[in-house]
Amino acid sequence: MSLIVKARNIVYEYIRRDDDGNVEGIETALDQVDLDVKEGDFVAILGANGSGKSTLAKHINALLKPENGTLLVDGKDTLDDNETLAIRQTAGMVFQNPDNQIIASVVEEDVGFGPENIGIPTDEIWTRVEKSLRSVGMYHYRHHSPNRLSGGQKQRVAIAGVMAMKPKCIILDEPTAMLDPVGRQEVLSAVRELNEKNGITVILITHYMEETVHANRIFVMESGKVIMQGTPREIFSRVEELKEHHLTVPQVTELAWELKKAGLSLPDGILTKEELITALCQLSSTN
Amino acid sequence: MLKDVTLGQYYPAESVIHRLDPRVKLAGTLLYLISLFVFQGPLALVMATVFLILLITLSKVPFSYMVKGLRTIIIILIITAAMNLFFTTGTVIVQFGIFKLTYEGIQMAILMMIRLVYLILGTSLMTLTTTPNQLTDGLEKGLRGLGKLGVPVHEIAMMMSIALRFIPILTEETDKIMKAQKARGADFETGGLIKRAKAMIPLLVPLFVSAFRRANDLAMAMEARCYHGGEGRTKMKPLRYTATDRNAYLLLFAYFAAMILLTLFWTKVLGGGKLFF
Amino acid sequence: MSIIVNELNYIYNPGTAMEVQALRDINLEISDGEFIGIIGHTGSGKSTLIQHLNGLIRATSGGIFYNGADIYDEGYDLRTLRTKVGLVFQYPEHQLFETTVMADVCYGPKNQGLDEKEAMLRAVASLNAVHFPEKHFYDSPFELSGGQKRRVAIAGVLAMNPEVLILDEPTAGLDPQGRDEILEMVSDLRRTQHITVILVSHSMEDVARYVDRLIVMNGGGIMYDDTPQAVFAHYKELEEVGLMAPQVTYVMHALAEAGIPVETGATTVAEAKDEIVRVLC
C-alpha cells in the first residue's frame, strides 16, 4: 500500500504582529511533525484545542504550506504551486462549522461547486453530484435549501461536496463539534461507510474519543507535536498518560481501567461495551 | 420577527416560471418595472394587474406568502403615500396649516402605492422563483460584454450569490444576539434616538465580528474546494434558451406592446390626462 | 417556591401553513437551590422552554410564576426578571462586544442601573467566580482562547447577581478539559453562591455526573422529570426518541441480564465501579 500522506519534520509558525507590524510573538503550531497515512486507512488525530491538529489538517489540503520540512500528498509536494489544485482534489476537506462551508443556496448546486471549479463537463457534474449525494444518503434533499437542514445533514452535504471531486482522501476537521448526538452519529456513519465501501482514506480530527474507536490508527497531538501514536487499543490502554494530557477516554474504557485498578483481572485497552461485558462475564464465571 | 423577511428568498416549487431562463426573468422584471412607471391610464393599470396576477398564478407561489413580504416595506409605503398626499399641488379639498390635501394628491398617493406594491411583487416574484445562483448566472452571462471592459463580472456575481445565501443566516444571528443582550438587561425599545443608537452597539459589534469570521471560514472552504476565480470554470446548470423561453419573450413583448397601445388609446383617443380618474 | 410553570403552550407562526407547536402543556415546579438538567434532541423544545423562563418569549397560553408573581401580569417588570433569571445562551462568547473583558462584564450590571464602581465590584467578583485570571481583566475579549471567552461571557451574566442561572449547552465546541472545567465551575457556583442552576445539555454523561433532577423533553412536551437514576432506567424508551443513556447504564443492564447480580442504577463510572467491585470481589 502506498502512502497518501507523508510528512517529514514539518514546521509551521504563526507570527503575531502588533499594530505597526512589529513581531510581537511567535507561536509554533507545528513542531517537527512526522506523519504517515496509508491509502485506505481511517486515521484519527486527537488533541486539545490549540494542539496544532487543525493546522496540520490545513497543510494536507495545501491551504497552509510548511515553513520547514516536506509534505507529500499522494506523491505531490505541497510546496509546488503547480500541484495545489491537484492536491486539493485528491485530499478534500470538511470543516467544523456546517454553515460556513456551504456556498450555494440549493443542496445540489453546492455539491456541484467543486467540480465546476475544476472544469468538469456539465453532464459529468450531474452524474457526480447524484452519486455523491447518494453516497451520504442526502439525494432525497437535493432540491432543498441548506438553511432548512439539520447540522448533521449539512455536514453530509459538505462531505458530498468533497466526494464530487473524486478524492482519494477526506480530511475532516472537527466535523461533529457543533452537532448534537444524532447529527454526530449521522456524520460518523457516513464517513465510515465511505472508508469501508469506497476505500476513501479518512483523516478525522476530533476531541471526542468515542469517535476514534473504529480508526486503524490514532495520532495524539500536543503543543504542535505528535506525542502518541498507535492503534486505538494501544492508545486507550495508556489511560493514565492520556489523562495527563487532559484527554478523556470513552466511559467504557475508563470503567475497565478503574476496575483493573481495583484488582479485577481485565485485559488492556477495552474499547466497546460488548468487550467489557464479555470480559466481566468470563471473570464472574471463573470466580 | 426578522424571519418574516420573504423578500428575496427562494421559494422552491415546480412551475413554468421557476423553469424559465433567469435572463428572461431579469429582462422581464426590468420591462415590467418600466411599464409601471411610464404608461398611463386605467386601462394600462388593469393590464399591469392582470399580467402580474397571471404570473403569480403560474409561479405557484402562494399569494399570501407574497403579500407577507410586503409587510417589511409598509413604512416606506406609508411615507410615500403621505408625501404624495400632502405635497401634490392641485385642487385643495382640506387644508391644515401648511398641509394641503388635494384631489390630485389623493390620486397620486393611490397610484404611487399601487406602483410600489406592484414593483415589490414583481421583483420578489423573480427572486422567489429563481435561486440566487441562477440569478447571478443570469447576470453574469447577461452582462458578459462588460467583462471585456475590465468589469469583474464573475466576481461580482459570486459575491452577490454568497450575500444572498448568508442573509437568512445573519438575520437569525441578529435575532440570537439581540436576545442574548436582552438577557443581560439590554433595552432596545425605549429612550430617545441617541440612546437607542447607543443601544445598538452591543448588537452590531458581535454581528460584524461574526460576519468577518464567517467570511474568513467561507473563503477557506471555497479555496479548499479548488475555487480559483472564474477562469476555466464549467457550469452545472449552463444557461440555454428553450422553446418556453422564446415564448416567454414573445409574451413579454406582447405585454409591452399592449401597454403602449392602451396608453395611446387613453391619451389620444379618450383624451385622458396623466392620472387615471 | 421559585419558578412555577403552568400549562404552558407555545406555537410558532400560529394560523399559517408553517405552524409548529414548540411546547405543549408544560407543568414544572423549580425550587430554590436545585440543580436541574434538561436533555432532549434538537427541536425537542428545550431552548424554547428556557427562553420562556426569563420572559424572552411569551407563551401562547399558560402561565409562569416567579416567586409567586405572574410574569405575564401587566406592569410586571420583565427586565428585572431577566436579571433574576440569568440565561447564558449557546456559544455565549458570540455576544461579547466591548474593548476590554472588564467593560464587557460590566454591561449587565450597568443595565441594572448600578454606577461604575458598583458595576466593577460585581464584575471582579464574577470574574473571580469563573476563575478568570486577573492579569487578563483589561485584555480585549476577542483575543482570548475559546474557553476563556466563554468564562467571560458567563461572568457577564453572573455579574447581574441572578438567583437562577440557566446555561444552554455551556460546553458546546470545547475540548474535554475545557468541558470539565466549565462544568466544575458551574457546580462550584451553585455551592458557593447558593443559586438554582438549570443546565441544558446533549451529554448524558455530563448530566449524570452533576445534576440532581433530570427533565427529558420530547416533541415539545416533558417526557420524564425525575432523578437521573430513575430517568436512565428508561434507557430503552430514551433510545426510541433518539437519546441515549450513559454507556455505563448499558453495561450495568447487560451484566444484570447475563445473570451477574448487580444493581442497575449506576449512572457514573465511579458508581458503576463500586457496584461491580462489590459484586465481583
Side-chain angles (χ1 to χ4, degrees):
Chain A
M1 280 261 207
S2 58
L3 286 180
I4 190 108
V5 177
K6 185 175 167 187
R8 287 293 172 271
N9 295 318
I10 58 174
V11 174
Y12 188 82
E13 288 166 340
Y14 284 104
I15 300 171
R16 269 187 303 141
R17 289 173 194 278
D18 63 11
D19 296 338
D20 304 324
N22 303 316
V23 177
E24 230 180 336
I26 296 176
E27 261 170 75
T28 308
L30 293 179
D31 190 0
Q32 308 278 339
V33 170
D34 286 347
L35 182 81
D36 283 345
V37 179
K38 280 194 285 236
E39 216 175 319
D41 261 4
F42 190 127
V43 166
I45 302 179
L46 280 170
N49 287 343
S51 60
K53 53 195 197 315
S54 283
T55 309
L56 179 60
K58 283 170 194 152
H59 274 82
I60 303 173
N61 187 260
L63 283 170
L64 296 176
K65 311 219 163 159
E67 277 151 9
N68 241 318
T70 53
L71 173 58
L72 300 183
V73 177
D74 200 21
K76 301 177 191 81
D77 191 337
T78 61
L79 284 173
D80 183 351
D81 287 338
N82 298 322
E83 300 280 22
T84 302
L85 284 185
I87 288 171
R88 289 185 183 153
Q89 271 176 67
T90 312
M93 185 139 175
V94 174
F95 297 87
Q96 183 187 103
N97 189 325
D99 278 323
N100 298 357
Q101 57 184 316
I102 294 183
I103 289 112
S105 302
V106 179
V107 166
E108 61 180 12
E109 287 180 11
D110 188 72
V111 178
F113 179 77
E116 284 182 338
N117 288 335
I118 51 175
I120 305 294
T122 301
D123 294 339
E124 166 82 10
I125 296 182
W126 282 93
T127 333
R128 286 187 180 200
V129 167
E130 181 180 335
K131 218 178 141 204
S132 342
L133 278 172
R134 282 190 197 283
S135 72
V136 295
M138 287 298 291
Y139 185 64
H140 180 65
Y141 294 91
R142 63 193 181 281
H143 298 311
H144 281 234
S145 152
N147 292 331
R148 305 227 178 257
L149 302 179
S150 72
Q153 289 172 330
K154 283 183 210 169
Q155 288 299 53
R156 277 149 67 198
V157 170
I159 294 172
V162 169
M163 285 304 291
M165 314 266 280
K166 295 205 168 163
K168 289 186 182 170
C169 171
I170 297 189
I171 306 137
L172 303 107
D173 188 0
E174 296 190 35
T176 60
M178 299 180 78
L179 306 183
D180 65 7
V182 178
R184 214 174 286 161
Q185 207 48 53
E186 272 174 43
V187 170
L188 277 182
S189 16
V191 172
R192 275 184 71 191
E193 200 174 308
L194 291 178
N195 176 251
E196 280 159 19
K197 281 200 187 149
N198 306 21
I200 305 280
T201 312
V202 171
I203 301 177
L204 175 70
I205 290 159
T206 182
H207 42 232
Y208 288 108
M209 300 291 159
E210 309 86 85
E211 297 179 355
T212 64
V213 167
H214 300 285
N216 304 101
R217 201 159 185 81
I218 297 178
F219 293 85
V220 180
M221 288 190 70
E222 193 182 81
S223 318
K225 290 193 178 73
V226 174
I227 52 161
M228 290 167 84
Q229 57 174 302
T231 63
R233 204 171 297 283
E234 286 161 11
I235 296 287
F236 288 138
S237 48
R238 291 149 78 179
V239 175
E240 232 145 284
E241 208 176 324
L242 284 168
K243 286 195 166 190
E244 270 166 38
H245 297 294
H246 303 293
L247 293 165
T248 52
V249 293
Q251 239 189 355
V252 171
T253 309
E254 190 174 354
L255 178 58
W257 178 71
E258 288 278 354
L259 288 172
K260 244 187 105 170
K261 253 194 345 189
L264 269 64
S265 60
L266 290 170
D268 266 336
I270 284 184
L271 299 174
T272 64
K273 36 182 199 270
E274 289 74 23
E275 286 174 15
L276 177 61
I277 292 158
T278 318
L280 283 173
C281 286
Q282 272 170 8
L283 202 64
S284 116
S285 57
T286 52
N287 271 9
Chain B
M1 159 189 77
L2 286 161
K3 283 182 198 142
D4 292 343
V5 182
T6 47
L7 225 66
Q9 278 210 53
Y10 180 65
Y11 183 93
E14 291 282 332
S15 83
V16 63
I17 306 280
H18 282 77
R19 278 195 304 273
L20 281 182
D21 190 293
R23 284 169 294 177
V24 179
K25 287 187 259 191
L26 279 165
T29 311
L30 193 67
L31 224 52
Y32 187 72
L33 296 192
I34 294 171
S35 80
L36 279 181
F37 285 86
V38 170
F39 299 118
Q40 299 160 14
L43 297 172
L45 194 67
V46 170
M47 182 73 200
T49 312
V50 171
F51 191 63
L52 186 62
I53 291 175
L54 174 79
L55 293 184
I56 293 178
T57 318
L58 281 177
S59 76
K60 293 188 183 160
V61 178
F63 198 68
S64 58
Y65 191 81
M66 297 213 58
V67 173
K68 232 178 80 183
L70 285 175
R71 284 213 305 241
T72 41
I73 56 144
I74 209 139
I75 294 173
I76 303 173
L77 281 180
I78 292 170
I79 293 173
T80 321
M83 298 277 279
N84 281 295
L85 211 50
F86 295 110
F87 297 109
T88 311
T89 48
T91 330
V92 178
I93 305 172
V94 213
Q95 184 159 4
F96 330 83
I98 55 157
F99 296 110
K100 286 185 224 121
L101 191 62
T102 62
Y103 178 68
E104 285 78 3
I106 295 176
Q107 283 195 19
M108 204 56 195
I110 294 174
L111 183 64
M112 282 312 284
M113 292 267 277
I114 293 177
R115 279 176 174 168
L116 270 182
V117 168
Y118 284 14
L119 178 145
I120 299 295
L121 289 182
T123 36
S124 49
L125 186 66
M126 172 179 71
T127 51
L128 283 164
T129 59
T130 320
T131 66
N133 266 28
Q134 288 172 336
L135 201 62
T136 45
D137 276 358
L139 275 177
E140 190 179 348
K141 203 155 180 188
L143 301 178
R144 208 170 26 175
L146 291 177
K148 296 198 182 79
L149 301 173
V151 180
V153 179
H154 167 78
E155 283 73 13
I156 293 172
M158 181 58 82
M159 263 158 54
M160 281 180 52
S161 85
I162 289 171
L164 284 169
R165 145 118 178 90
F166 276 85
I167 285 173
I169 294 177
L170 288 175
T171 40
E172 202 176 305
E173 184 132 8
T174 311
D175 233 16
K176 239 189 263 168
I177 298 170
M178 210 166 191
K179 276 184 176 167
Q181 304 299 28
K182 272 189 185 170
R184 293 210 279 165
D187 180 5
F188 295 110
E189 276 115 27
T190 59
L193 200 63
I194 294 173
K195 185 171 171 251
R196 278 203 207 191
K198 264 179 92 176
M200 296 305 275
I201 295 172
L203 176 63
L204 293 178
V205 173
L207 200 60
F208 275 118
V209 171
S210 145
F212 278 114
R213 190 183 49 236
R214 286 182 191 281
N216 235 328
D217 283 4
L218 194 71
M220 191 176 290
M222 288 171 71
E223 228 184 294
R225 284 165 75 183
C226 296
Y227 181 72
H228 54 284
E231 215 176 304
R233 246 182 140 242
T234 46
K235 291 277 180 197
M236 180 179 180
K237 296 176 177 172
L239 297 177
R240 278 189 212 107
Y241 283 128
T242 63
T244 326
D245 295 317
R246 270 191 295 278
N247 294 339
Y249 270 129
L250 286 177
L251 184 72
L252 262 177
F253 289 127
Y255 162 77
F256 209 72
M259 290 294 272
I260 295 175
L261 289 176
L262 289 171
T263 306
L264 287 177
F265 185 66
W266 170 251
T267 49
K268 303 287 181 222
V269 182
L270 299 179
K274 196 170 175 338
L275 301 172
F276 54 89
F277 38 69
Chain C
M1 164 178 114
S2 184
I3 302 177
I4 293 173
V5 178
N6 184 33
E7 284 298 314
L8 201 72
N9 279 283
Y10 183 70
I11 299 170
Y12 275 112
N13 306 315
T16 69
M18 286 176 285
E19 181 176 307
V20 180
Q21 179 145 16
L23 292 178
R24 62 180 83 233
D25 304 331
I26 304 283
N27 287 298
L28 268 183
E29 204 175 324
I30 296 164
S31 312
D32 286 340
E34 277 195 282
F35 197 161
I36 298 179
I38 301 183
I39 54 173
H41 56 77
T42 311
S44 61
K46 3 179 247 297
S47 291
T48 315
L49 174 63
I50 55 171
Q51 289 179 44
H52 276 83
L53 298 182
N54 75 345
L56 276 175
I57 303 183
R58 199 190 164 94
T60 312
S61 72
I64 296 176
F65 300 86
Y66 185 70
N67 287 340
D70 184 346
I71 70 162
Y72 295 142
D73 267 349
E74 213 167 305
Y76 188 91
D77 186 1
L78 282 175
R79 277 183 68 202
T80 307
L81 174 72
R82 285 178 199 144
T83 65
K84 297 282 176 212
V85 183
L87 173 55
V88 179
F89 276 86
Q90 208 176 356
Y91 300 103
E93 59 274 22
H94 292 175
Q95 76 195 21
L96 301 174
F97 70 97
E98 276 285 8
T99 46
T100 67
V101 167
M102 180 62 87
D104 206 286
V105 179
C106 283
Y107 177 67
K110 279 189 182 160
N111 282 330
Q112 285 178 289
L114 298 185
D115 65 29
E116 190 77 36
K117 199 178 148 207
E118 282 174 287
M120 275 181 68
L121 285 175
R122 289 267 196 95
V124 170
S126 52
L127 283 167
N128 284 334
V130 299
H131 310 302
F132 184 81
E134 207 158 316
K135 62 175 181 203
H136 296 306
F137 278 10
Y138 290 93
D139 286 3
S140 160
F142 298 106
E143 276 161 23
L144 303 171
S145 72
Q148 296 291 34
K149 274 187 196 167
R150 191 154 301 177
R151 279 162 199 268
V152 172
I154 294 174
V157 172
L158 269 184
M160 300 189 300
N161 276 359
E163 294 164 357
V164 180
L165 183 65
I166 308 175
L167 301 115
D168 191 355
E169 289 189 52
T171 60
L174 296 181
D175 60 17
Q177 191 188 4
R179 210 152 58 198
D180 289 347
E181 283 174 3
I182 293 278
L183 288 172
E184 277 303 324
M185 180 201 90
V186 170
S187 175
D188 273 355
L189 279 177
R190 176 178 162 258
R191 260 197 316 270
T192 55
Q193 324 253 322
H194 307 290
I195 48 180
T196 311
V197 175
I198 301 177
L199 179 72
V200 177
S201 175
H202 278 312
S203 163
M204 302 296 167
E205 278 83 4
D206 290 350
V207 164
R209 216 160 68 204
Y210 291 98
V211 307
D212 310 320
R213 173 179 168 195
L214 184 56
I215 296 170
V216 181
M217 305 257 326
N218 184 41
I222 291 179
M223 188 177 174
Y224 296 111
D225 179 358
D226 214 325
T227 61
Q229 286 77 7
V231 169
F232 291 138
H234 300 284
Y235 67 103
K236 283 184 179 143
E237 289 89 338
L238 288 173
E239 223 165 87
E240 275 164 28
V241 299
L243 296 171
M244 258 183 264
Q247 284 188 325
V248 294
T249 304
Y250 289 92
V251 173
M252 298 311 274
H253 280 273
L255 290 179
E257 270 166 42
I260 301 175
V262 288
E263 292 284 335
T264 53
T267 56
T268 64
V269 170
E271 287 168 13
K273 182 198 106 185
D274 290 346
E275 179 60 17
I276 295 173
V277 167
R278 183 184 70 81
V279 174
L280 286 185
C281 288

